[in-house]
Amino acid sequence: MENYALELIQKGTRIDERKFDQYRNIEIKTGVIGPAEGSARVRIGDTEVIVGVKMNTGTPFSDMPNDGTMMVSAEFTPLASPDFESGPPGEDAIELARLVDRSLRESKCIDFSKLVITPGVKVWSVYIDIHIINHQGNLLDAAGLAAVAALWNAYIPKYENEKIVRGEPAGKLPISFKPITITVGKVGNTLLVDPVLEEESIIDAKMSIAIRDDGKICAMQKQGHGTLEFSDVDKMIDIALKKSEELRGLI
Amino acid sequence: MENYALELIQKGTRIDERKFDQYRNIEIKTGVIGPAEGSARVRIGDTEVIVGVKMNTGTPFSDMPNDGTMMVSAEFTPLASPDFESGPPGEDAIELARLVDRSLRESKCIDFSKLVITPGVKVWSVYIDIHIINHQGNLLDAAGLAAVAALWNAYIPKYENEKIVRGEPAGKLPISFKPITITVGKVGNTLLVDPVLEEESIIDAKMSIAIRDDGKICAMQKQGHGTLEFSDVDKMIDIALKKSEELRGLI
Amino acid sequence: MENYALELIQKGTRIDERKFDQYRNIEIKTGVIGPAEGSARVRIGDTEVIVGVKMNTGTPFSDMPNDGTMMVSAEFTPLASPDFESGPPGEDAIELARLVDRSLRESKCIDFSKLVITPGVKVWSVYIDIHIINHQGNLLDAAGLAAVAALWNAYIPKYENEKIVRGEPAGKLPISFKPITITVGKVGNTLLVDPVLEEESIIDAKMSIAIRDDGKICAMQKQGHGTLEFSDVDKMIDIALKKSEELRGLI
Amino acid sequence: MGKKSDVQLIVDGKRTDGRAPEDVRPISMRLDVVSRANGSAEVSFGKTTAVAAVYGPRTLFPRFMQESDTGIIRTRYNMAPFSVVDRKSPGPDRRSTEISKVVRLALEPSIFLEDFPKATIDVYVEIIQADGSTRVTGINAASLALVAAGAPMKDMVTAVSVGKIDDTLIVDLNGTEDQNSQSDVAVAIMPRTDRITLLQMDGVLTKDEVMTVLSFAKENCHKINEQQKKLLLEKYTGE
Amino acid sequence: MGKKSDVQLIVDGKRTDGRAPEDVRPISMRLDVVSRANGSAEVSFGKTTAVAAVYGPRTLFPRFMQESDTGIIRTRYNMAPFSVVDRKSPGPDRRSTEISKVVRLALEPSIFLEDFPKATIDVYVEIIQADGSTRVTGINAASLALVAAGAPMKDMVTAVSVGKIDDTLIVDLNGTEDQNSQSDVAVAIMPRTDRITLLQMDGVLTKDEVMTVLSFAKENCHKINEQQKKLLLEKYTGE
Amino acid sequence: MGKKSDVQLIVDGKRTDGRAPEDVRPISMRLDVVSRANGSAEVSFGKTTAVAAVYGPRTLFPRFMQESDTGIIRTRYNMAPFSVVDRKSPGPDRRSTEISKVVRLALEPSIFLEDFPKATIDVYVEIIQADGSTRVTGINAASLALVAAGAPMKDMVTAVSVGKIDDTLIVDLNGTEDQNSQSDVAVAIMPRTDRITLLQMDGVLTKDEVMTVLSFAKENCHKINEQQKKLLLEKYTGE
C-alpha cells in the first residue's frame, strides 16, 4: 500500500486523486458538546477531531498577574487508531498539543488581558482539550482548525458570588486572530498538503507552519525522519500562506 | 480442585460441608488498631480483612457545604494472595472499595451533617481503609462487615485551636445504620453464599446486595463472567435479606 | 575483571595501586552552577557528582513551626552509567538521597531556626539535588562531599514584598558543621575505602559512616549483600574517623 | 444519588426535559465512524453521546497474557475532559476503572470467546457528551460495534437506565435526574434470552420496587434493541 | 530523631510506658496467618504489629530478570494507611522503598540463594500498627515466615532497635521514644554466628557509645531469638 | 516568547551581556566526560552547559521493539533540577518530552541506522546550567558524543538559535533574550550538505524575515561546526 502511494506521487498523482495542494473535504461543526463552553468537531476527509473548551477559574502566573491562562492537552485515544495506546500522553500527543498551544499563544489569538477576574489573584483559565476520534492522516491541521473553531465558538460563563454559573454565558471569549496551521510534506521532490495515512508513512519530512490572519508566520516546526533543504522551506511557506487563507475562510 | 468443588455442588453439598446458605465461622474484633480512630479485624473462615478508620479535617464539596466527606480505599496487598500484585490498586480492588463506599453512602450509614466543623469551610473527612490480610474467598462481604464494624467502633477526636488532638475522643462517630453486604453466587441452578476460593472460581455469576437495617436494598451489583435470569435476582434478594439480619447481629 | 580486582586485594594491593585507606584524587569546584544558590562539582577519580542547592519558600511542618525545611533528592541519570535507567528514582537513588539527608539532618549541619520568614507560616526550604554525571564507584561519599561543599557555598536570596529576588544574596546559608560520609568496604579480611567500580562488585559488605567535625558519629548504614562482624564495625569507625578529617580539610 | 432532591423533578407528569416517565430520549445511532477499527458506532441518547470502536480479534501481547483455549475481551471506558460540566482530568480514575470492568462483564457473555484462542477483542468506549446514563449508552454503542466488527456473537447486548424520582419510576435518566434520584439502576440484557449481563443499583428500594424496576428495564431494553437491529439490518441489506 | 526532646522520657528510671530501659515490650508471635503463603507470621512488640508472608521459591518472571546460577530474594515493606497516627497515603514512598531494600539485605545472608537458581523468594511485610521499631519487628516476622516456608536457611535473622534517650541506653523504642531519641539504631544479626546483617544508626553518638549500643543490641537479639525458636519448636514438635 | 519586552535588550548596539547581535557566546567543548559511555561530550555556550553521552549501538530490549532491518536511535533530554532559576521537579515534563523527540529527529538523519539492525543507539543529554539555547547546545554536545562513540555517521549535526529582539536579528539567545524575544528559532543542519534536521520557530515573523533568519542560522552553524571539527581533530590526531 505504501509503495503504491509512493508510486502514484512519483507519477504526479495521489491515492485519492487529489491535487498536491488540495485538502480533502473539510467539515466543521461548532457548539456540538453541551457541557463545554466552546466546541468544534472537525472532519478532514475521514480524519475526525473534537476540541472542547472549558472555562475554569485559576491563579495567574506570578510574572503575568494581569493575564488569564491557557492549557492545551491532547488525547490520542486508542479508539481512534490501532497505533494509539492507552496510557498517559505519548510524545506525539504531547508534541501535537504543544504545537497547537504555540500557534494560539504566539499569534495572540486569545486576548488574555480580558480574562482577569481579580488582578494577580484570580483569572480565567482556558482549557482546550483535543480528542482524536478517527486518525486517517494530518491530525495536526485538523486539531489546529478545531481548536480555533472551538475558541471562536466559546463563551465566558457568568461568574457570581465567587462561583461559576455553568451554562449561562456572560459574553464571548475574546478572540483576535484565527491562526491556521498548514503542514506541508515532502516526498522526493514533491511537496504536498493534507496527506492521508498511507502518504504520511512515506513522507521524508514535513513542516508545520502556523499563519496568522495578517499573513505573518507565528510558529513553525519541522517534523519527520528526513531532512529539508533551505529552498524547500521557501516553497513550503508559500503553500502554507495560500492554503491558510482558504482554511481560515471555513471558520 | 475446581472440578471437585463443582462436583460436590452438583451433588448438593460443599467442599467444607456447609449448607448453601451458611457462612463460615465469623469473628469480629474491634478497636484492634491503636493509631486508628476506629478499626475492626474480621475473619470469615480463613479470609481476613482489617479496616481502619482515620478522621482528618478537610474541605467540604462545594455542592455539599454542610456535610462531612468519606473516602473508601482498598489495598489488595501481595501478602494476602499470590494473585495480588504490588502496585496501584487494580480494577478488583477499586471495584471492591467502590461497592463498600456505595453500601455506606446509599444507606446513609454515616450522618455527614454532624461532621461539620465550620460550614462550607472545614469538615471531618472519614477515611476508611480496607486492608486484605488473607484471601480465601468472599472478600467483599468480609470487607463490608469490617467497614461497618470499624465505623461503629470509631470516635471523633478532640479538635482544639484548629488542630486535631489525636488519641482523645470527643464523641462517637454518628452512625445510623448497619448496611450489610451479602454476595450470592450461582453455580448451575444452585445459589450459595460465602464461597471459598475454590468455589469462587467455578461460580457463573454472583450478585452483591447491600441491605439496610430496615430491610431495604441500598446497593446491588452483578459480578462474574456469566449471566443471571430475572428469577435468580428474586431468589438472591430473599437470601440476602435473611442472611443480612444474621450478620448484622454479630456487630 | 572482577576476579582480577579480587586477586589483587588478596595479594595486598589494588587495581589502581592505591593503599587500602587511600582515596582517589579529589577535586571540588564550588559555585559552578549559575542559577543555583549553592553548587559544587566533585570528582573522586573519574566519579563525578554535581550538587545544586536551590532556596525556595514553603510552609513549615506543623510540629516544627519555627524551623526551615530541607529536601534531598538524587537522580541517577542514565547518562552516568549503563546500569542506570530512565524513570523515577529507584531504590539505590532513594537510599543515597536519604543517607545524605540523614548525615546533614542528624549532624545539625544547617541551622534551620535561622531559616524562618514568618514563624509557623513561611520558612525557607533548602532543596539539595544530587545529579550523577559519571559513576565510577563510591557515589555516596562523592555525593555527601558535594552536598556539604554546595551548602557551604550557598546563599539566601533577598526576599522583598513576599517575593524572592533571584540572584541577589541576602546572606550566607547558616551552616554549622561539615559532616563527612566515609564508606568502608570489606573484602575477605581486608577493609578499604573509596572502591572503584570493579572493586564495588566484589565487596562483601560495606558501612557508610557520617562523622561530624567534633568526631561524633551522626549516621551509619550497613550496605551490601554480605555480613559484618562486630569487630569490623570497630575498625571501620576508626578508619572513618581518620579519613573524614582528611576529606573535611578539602572543603 | 440515593438522595431525594428538594427540587421537584416531575411536574404535571412531565420530567425536567419534558418527557413522560416512560419516555426514552431521542436516540441516534450511526455505524462505521472510525475508519481503521474492525467495527464502530456512535450512539446518542439525548445529549449523552458515546463512540465505541472494536479492534480484533487480534493476537494478544505480551504473550504470557494469552490463554491457549480461549480469547479474551478487554474494554476501556473513558470520558473526554470536556464531556462533563466540570472538566475531567484526562486519564483513568476510579469510576472509569470500575465502569471499564462492568462494561467488559456486560459484553463478555455475548461473545464466543473460545472462537479466538490466544487473541483479544479490544473495545474502546469514549463518552463525548455526558448527560446521564453514560455507561448504558456506551454498552449499546459497543454492542453495535461488535456486530459491525463481525465478532462471533451469541446475541446482542442492550442496556438502559431506570430510576426512581419523586416516587415515580422513570427510564433513561438524564444528568439532573441521575444526581437527584432516589434510586438509579443500570441494566443490560441479552434480548433473545433475557439474560442479565449488567445490574448495578444505587439508592434505597424495597425488594418489590427492585423487581418492578427490573421488569421496566427489560421492557425498555427490548424497545432499544429493535432500533439497534433496524440499523444493522439497513447496513447489511439496504441502501 | 537526633533531637533531645524537651519532655523527659525517663522518670524515676521508668520509660513513658512504664518499662525499664532494658525491657523489651511484650512480644507476641503467631505462625501461619496467611493461608496461601508458603510461610507467614504475625509479630507484635507492644503496639507495633507486623505481618509477614513468604511466597516461593517460585519461578521469576519476566524471564530476563532470572539469574542462571542463583535465586534472588525480593522484599516489600508496606505500612497500612491506618497504622500510623497521621494517615499514610497508600502505596510506596521514599521511606518504605529504602526500608524494603534494607530488609532485603538483612534477610538475604541467611538464605542459600544458590539452592534455587532462576527463582525468587518474595517476602511481604505489612505493618498493621506502628508504635516505633517497625522495621525490626518486620524483620523478625519475616525470618519466622521464611523458616515456616521451608526456605533453605543458614540461620535465622533477629532484629532489635536500641537507642539513647535522656542520656540512657534503651531497647525496643516505642513511637514517642523514636521521635524524641538522641540516637536510634536498628540492628539485625544472625544469632548463631553474631554476624550483622542490618545496621542503621541516626543521631549523635561517640564511637564508644556506638560500640556499647551494638553489644546491647546483640544481647537483646539473642533473647528475642530464643522466643522465635521456642515458637518454631512448638510448631514442629508440639501440639 | 513572541512578546516584545518593555525592557530594551539592545542598547548602543550591545546586548544585555555585552555581545554584538552576531556574536555567539564563548564556547567550550570537552570530550570523554563519562567513563562508561561509548562517547561523551560537555559543551557550554556561555552559561548554558549540556553534557551528552552515547551508549551503543547496543541490542534493543524488550525484543519485540527490535526492527529486523534497521537500528533505532533513542534520546532523552533532561534538565537538572538546579539548572534553572526556578527549581524544576525531577523527571520528564511535557517540554522535555517534546524536546527529546525533536533532538532525536535532529540527530537521526546523520546516522546510518541500517548499519546496526535490531540495535539502538541511546543518546542522553543533561542540561546542567540553562541560560537559553539549551536544546541546540544539547544537540551540539550529542553530535560530538556520537562521533566520539564511533557511531556510523554521514555527517555531523550542528545547531544554533537565532532570534529577533528589538527588531534586530541576533544569534545564540541567552535566557533573558529567550524570554523576551519577538521571535526565537532553533535550527540544526548537517553542515556538509546544508540539510535542515531541526527547525522550530516561535514568535511572529514575515516570510522574508524567516528566510533571513535561516541564512543567518546556517552561517553560524558553519562557524560552530569548525570548532566541533577542530576538537575532534585534536582528539584523533593527538594534541
Side-chain angles (χ1 to χ4, degrees), chain B residues 34 41 54 79 129 131 134, chain E residues 35 42 55 85 87 126 129:
Chain B
R41 191 163 178 164
K54 288 294 302 174
L79 170 134
D129 284 290
H131 217 71
N134 195 355
Chain E
S35 312
E42 181 172 327
Y55 290 87
V85 168
R87 178 178 181 268
E126 292 289 328
Q129 277 196 100

Side-chain angles (χ1 to χ4, degrees), chain A residues 82-99:
Chain A
D83 300 329
F84 296 164
E85 285 173 18
S86 298
E91 63 176 25
D92 293 332
I94 288 172
E95 187 189 35
L96 181 135
R98 283 175 58 84
L99 285 172

Side-chain angles (χ1 to χ4, degrees), chain C residues 64 72 91-92 95 98 102 106 108 216-222 225 227-228 230 234 237-238, chain E residues 2-3 94 98 101-102 104 108-109 194-197 199-205 207 214 218:
Chain C
M64 307 283 231
V72 182
E91 64 176 25
D92 293 331
E95 187 189 35
R98 283 175 58 83
R102 287 209 287 269
E106 301 293 331
K108 301 184 180 14
K216 290 201 172 162
I217 297 161
C218 53
M220 290 176 70
Q221 182 131 326
K222 178 199 159 284
H225 298 281
T227 63
L228 292 174
F230 284 86
D234 191 314
I237 294 177
D238 286 338
Chain E
K3 124 158 349 189
R94 286 161 45 115
E98 188 200 344
K101 179 179 176 180
V102 299
R104 188 180 73 239
E108 193 181 295
D194 280 347
R195 292 284 186 153
I196 299 169
T197 70
L199 196 167
Q200 290 187 289
M201 176 266 186
D202 284 342
V204 177
L205 293 180
K207 185 197 159 185
L214 293 183
K218 180 164 69 173

Side-chain angles (χ1 to χ4, degrees), chain B residues 13-14 33 39 46 94 98 118 136 148 151 155 174 201 204 210 215 231 242 244:
Chain B
T13 179
R14 296 176 77 168
I33 304 295
S39 60
D46 283 339
I94 288 172
R98 283 175 60 83
T118 313
Q136 275 293 308
V148 173
L151 287 168
Y155 64 86
S201 68
D204 299 328
S231 58
K242 189 177 131 206
S244 64

